């Protein structure tokens, strides 16, 4: 099982955790609301878990262009 952090905007893999057992409270999942969990966490058929996050480059772009927050995808 892998936990893969992927940018929701550009698709870049930010990081990956390859562990059989992971304490999700250490990852902060317990601080997410149920809605945030539904939006961010996807369970794949191969057993992997994909987390939708934002990479540093996209975060910087959002900082320079706040109007991009209104868009689901701002990178074409």
């Amino acid at each position: 099982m892998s936990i893969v952090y992927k940018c929701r905007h550009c698709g870049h893999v930010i990081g990956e955790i390859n562990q059989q057992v992971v304490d999700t409270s250490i990852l902060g999942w317990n601080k997410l609301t149920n809605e945030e969990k539904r939006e961010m966490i996807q369970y794949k058929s191969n057993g992997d878990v994909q987390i939708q996050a934002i990479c540093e480059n996209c975060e910087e772009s959002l900082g320079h262009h706040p109007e991009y927050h209104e868009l689901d995808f701002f990178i074409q």
Side-chain angles (χ1 to χ4, degrees):
M1 176 184 93
S2 293
I3 299 174
V4 180
Y5 285 82
K6 200 169 185 182
C7 181
R8 70 174 62 238
H9 298 288
C10 69
H12 175 75
V13 174
I14 301 166
E16 188 171 339
I17 300 171
N18 293 306
Q19 298 287 331
Q20 291 300 323
V21 179
V22 176
D23 182 354
T24 57
S25 65
I26 292 173
L27 300 176
W29 293 10
N30 59 327
K31 296 181 181 182
L32 298 173
T33 65
N34 286 336
E35 182 178 337
E36 290 169 331
K37 288 177 186 175
R38 280 192 299 276
E39 290 176 4
M40 294 178 65
I41 301 172
Q42 298 174 350
Y43 297 91
K44 301 298 181 178
S45 60
N46 66 354
D48 288 354
V49 180
Q50 184 173 306
I51 308 298
Q52 298 292 320
I54 301 175
C55 71
E56 290 178 1
N57 291 333
C58 289
E59 182 66 30
E60 184 177 338
S61 293
L62 287 166
H64 291 301
H65 304 280
E67 67 276 12
Y68 289 174
H69 283 282
E70 298 173 6
L71 307 172
D72 289 331
F73 301 98
F74 59 87
I75 295 178
Q76 301 297 321

